[in-house]
């Protein structure tokens, strides 16, 4: 999950705690500690390791061993630089925040090395899209509503301003999701989102209820909404996996892996994926629809050039990271091109593959270039002398 969403969630959970558990610096401690694990992306900005983003991100800092090491150090820093001098409480809050971060990452389909350094296996629960706008909204809105009703004299102005900003963001999110799904902008959904946002900001004004509450009350309602949303995603995911399994039974496939991966904005839309020795089946569906999902087959190429490319350390790392890889082969003059793509990241309706690793070889099977074709030229390929 993105750091902003994780931070919003950490602050929400901290504010919902009773005062004696939270302490004078609890919100700051939990918010900061909940985003610290993502500092592991920084080394990638300072080195030219082509595959470093896969091997270092969501590794030790996102592991249970990392919690054991980082929590005491974070608690010590909070104890030194904050008003709270209760170290055991700060340690408990640090552990809580780090586990919250691991939880949000496990809930996505990206994969997290939670048992690093003892295991490099990447666990993924496939409950949330990698950037889940609905999940972010559930975590952010309680803060905004609480801020709106903190000052009765400014509540109307704050509410209208936030509603306008969030409605604009909802339009942007709707547009991005429509592009990802390969569908037209959904005006009905946009109108519904705008109305829901208006209702959320207006409802607490009923009989002045919102003006009598502190921020903890709003945040506890937010935590309840969070639990409901996650439960909805879990149930929907179970139903989606059953539909994928039913497809496998009907086709009598030899399965190496299968999954139902969440799609953006809706907990009911999924991408079904089945990895077989010959290639990958993929389909998109809504668990609320009555009909069975339709799947498309993507064959994986097999020849000497693919075999040579697959021996490269970078390709081995790429395949270790991917869950539903497909190898494609083509020629361009006297060059032989092998492209690997992970269908986890293929947008619906997209013809061009995404997240592609390309290897170019000559007729003798010697590697000419290798890398990500869409990346910066200095890192996207490395010519071999």
């Amino acid at each position: 999950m993105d750091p902003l969403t994780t931070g919003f969630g950490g602050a929400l959970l901290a504010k919902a705690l009773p005062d004696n558990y939270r302490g004078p610096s609890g919100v700051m401690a939990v918010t900061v500690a909940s985003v610290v694990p993502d500092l592991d992306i920084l080394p990638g900005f300072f080195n030219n390791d082509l595959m470093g983003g896969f091997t270092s991100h969501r590794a030790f800092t996102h592991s249970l061993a990392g919690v054991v090491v980082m929590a005491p150090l974070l608690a010590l820093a909070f104890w030194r630089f904050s008003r709270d001098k209760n170290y055991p409480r700060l340690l408990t809050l640090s552990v809580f925040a780090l586990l919250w971060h691991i939880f949000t990452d496990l809930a996505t389909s990206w994969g997290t090395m939670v048992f690093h350094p003892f295991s490099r296996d990447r666990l993924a629960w496939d409950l949330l899209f990698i950037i889940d706008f609905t999940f972010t909204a559930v975590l952010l809105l309680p803060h905004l509503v609480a801020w709106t009703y903190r000052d009765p004299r400014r509540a109307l102005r704050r509410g209208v301003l936030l509603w306008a900003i969030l409605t604009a963001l909802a339009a942007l999110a709707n547009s991005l999701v429509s592009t990802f799904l390969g569908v037209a902008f959904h005006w009905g959904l946009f109108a519904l989102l705008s109305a829901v946002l208006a209702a959320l900001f207006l409802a607490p004004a009923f009989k002045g209820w919102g003006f009598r509450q502190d921020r903890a009350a709003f945040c506890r309602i937010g935590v309840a909404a969070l639990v409901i949303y996650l439960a909805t995603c879990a149930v929907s995911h179970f139903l989606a996996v059953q539909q994928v399994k039913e497809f496998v039974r009907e086709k009598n496939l030899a399965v190496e892996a299968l999954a139902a991966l969440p799609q953006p904005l809706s907990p009911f839309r999924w991408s079904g994926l089945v990895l077989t020795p010959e290639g990958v089946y993929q389909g998109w569906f809504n668990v609320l629809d009555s009909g069975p999902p339709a799947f498309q087959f993507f064959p994986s190429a097999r020849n000497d050039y693919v075999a040579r490319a697959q021996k490269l350390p970078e390709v081995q790392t790429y395949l270790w990271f991917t869950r539903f890889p497909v190898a494609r082969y083509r020629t361009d003059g006297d060059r032989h091109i092998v492209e690997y793509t992970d269908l986890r990241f293929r947008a619906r309706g997209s013809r061009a593959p995404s997240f592609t690793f390309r290897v170019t070889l000559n007729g003798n099977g010697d590697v000419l270039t290798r890398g990500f074709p869409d990346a910066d030229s200095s890192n996207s390929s490395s010519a071999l002398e």
Side-chain angles (χ1 to χ4, degrees):
M1 191 59 63
D2 63 280
L4 280 177
T5 299
T6 309
F8 294 149
L12 177 74
L13 296 172
K15 292 176 182 179
L17 292 172
D19 290 341
N20 58 321
Y21 285 96
R22 183 174 60 241
S25 304
V27 174
M28 178 273 296
V30 175
T31 303
V32 171
S34 66
V35 300
V36 162
D38 276 340
L39 293 177
D40 65 359
I41 66 173
L42 294 179
F45 293 105
F46 303 103
N47 61 48
N48 293 320
D49 183 0
L50 190 63
M51 312 304 291
F54 304 135
T55 57
S56 62
H57 184 44
R58 293 198 181 183
F60 180 75
T61 62
H62 290 69
S63 69
L64 297 178
V67 173
V68 173
V69 172
M70 293 189 298
L73 298 176
L74 286 169
L76 182 62
F78 297 142
W79 176 85
R80 174 64 179 83
F81 296 105
S82 75
R83 295 176 297 158
D84 196 341
K85 301 305 177 183
N86 187 329
Y87 182 81
R89 174 167 57 204
L90 292 171
L91 178 60
T92 301
L93 292 173
S94 298
V95 171
F96 174 68
L98 293 172
L99 291 177
W100 160 250
H101 187 110
I102 292 174
F103 170 83
T104 60
D105 282 345
L106 283 172
T108 71
S109 56
W110 184 267
T112 302
M113 289 180 273
V114 68
F115 298 116
H116 189 278
F118 308 104
S119 170
R120 295 176 74 243
D121 291 343
R122 304 180 71 93
L123 276 65
W125 293 341
D126 299 336
L127 299 179
L128 303 172
F129 194 64
I130 295 171
I131 299 179
D132 191 311
F133 295 120
T134 305
F135 185 66
T136 302
V138 170
L139 298 175
L140 176 61
L141 282 170
H143 300 290
L144 300 181
V145 176
W147 178 72
T148 299
Y149 283 87
R150 188 169 63 184
D151 186 345
R153 295 172 300 175
R154 302 176 181 176
L156 178 60
R157 183 171 59 186
R158 289 178 175 181
V160 171
L161 175 63
L162 289 174
W163 172 81
I165 293 173
L166 292 174
T167 296
L169 291 175
L172 176 61
N174 198 345
S175 177
L176 292 174
V177 170
S178 297
T179 301
F180 181 86
L181 297 177
V183 299
F185 186 91
H186 200 307
W187 287 101
L189 176 61
F190 170 66
L192 177 62
L193 291 174
S194 181
V196 168
L197 288 170
L200 287 174
F201 282 100
L202 286 172
F206 183 69
K207 295 186 177 180
W209 178 87
F211 299 110
R212 299 191 298 271
Q213 310 304 316
D214 59 10
R215 68 180 185 182
F218 290 102
C219 290
R220 287 165 189 160
I221 293 173
V223 172
L226 170 64
V227 172
I228 293 172
Y229 181 70
L230 289 173
T232 301
C233 291
V235 172
S236 182
H237 177 252
F238 172 80
L239 296 175
V241 170
Q242 298 310 305
Q243 292 201 32
V244 177
K245 289 182 177 179
E246 181 61 28
F247 169 77
V248 168
R249 284 192 292 267
E250 290 178 357
K251 297 293 184 180
N252 194 27
L253 299 175
V255 177
E256 296 181 356
L258 65 81
L261 305 184
Q263 299 300 287
L265 210 59
S266 171
F268 306 113
R269 292 186 177 274
W270 300 85
S271 170
L273 289 156
V274 181
L275 177 64
T276 71
E278 295 77 27
V280 176
Y281 290 86
Q282 184 176 34
W284 285 270
F285 56 92
N286 189 321
V287 295
L288 301 181
D289 292 340
S290 57
F295 282 78
Q296 182 179 356
F297 180 63
F298 297 86
S300 200
R302 299 283 190 273
N303 58 41
D304 290 341
Y305 294 102
V306 174
R308 284 177 179 267
Q310 194 162 322
K311 293 179 181 179
L312 292 173
E314 295 90 345
V315 174
Q316 289 293 310
T317 300
Y318 180 89
L319 294 176
W320 161 79
F321 171 77
T322 60
R323 292 172 61 186
F324 297 93
V326 170
R328 302 183 310 148
Y329 169 79
R330 60 187 173 89
T331 58
D332 183 7
D334 60 352
R335 297 186 306 163
H336 300 263
I337 299 172
V338 180
E339 292 180 331
Y340 295 90
T341 186
D342 188 352
L343 293 187
R344 269 189 300 173
F345 307 110
R346 178 174 177 264
R348 183 175 187 176
S350 173
R351 294 183 179 180
S354 58
F355 192 62
T356 296
F357 191 87
R358 179 183 297 164
V359 180
T360 305
L361 309 96
N362 63 19
N364 296 325
D366 301 319
V367 177
L368 301 176
T369 62
R370 54 191 172 188
F372 295 97
D374 294 331
D376 180 81
S377 59
S378 63
N379 293 327
S380 64
S381 64
S382 57
L384 299 181
E385 299 295 341

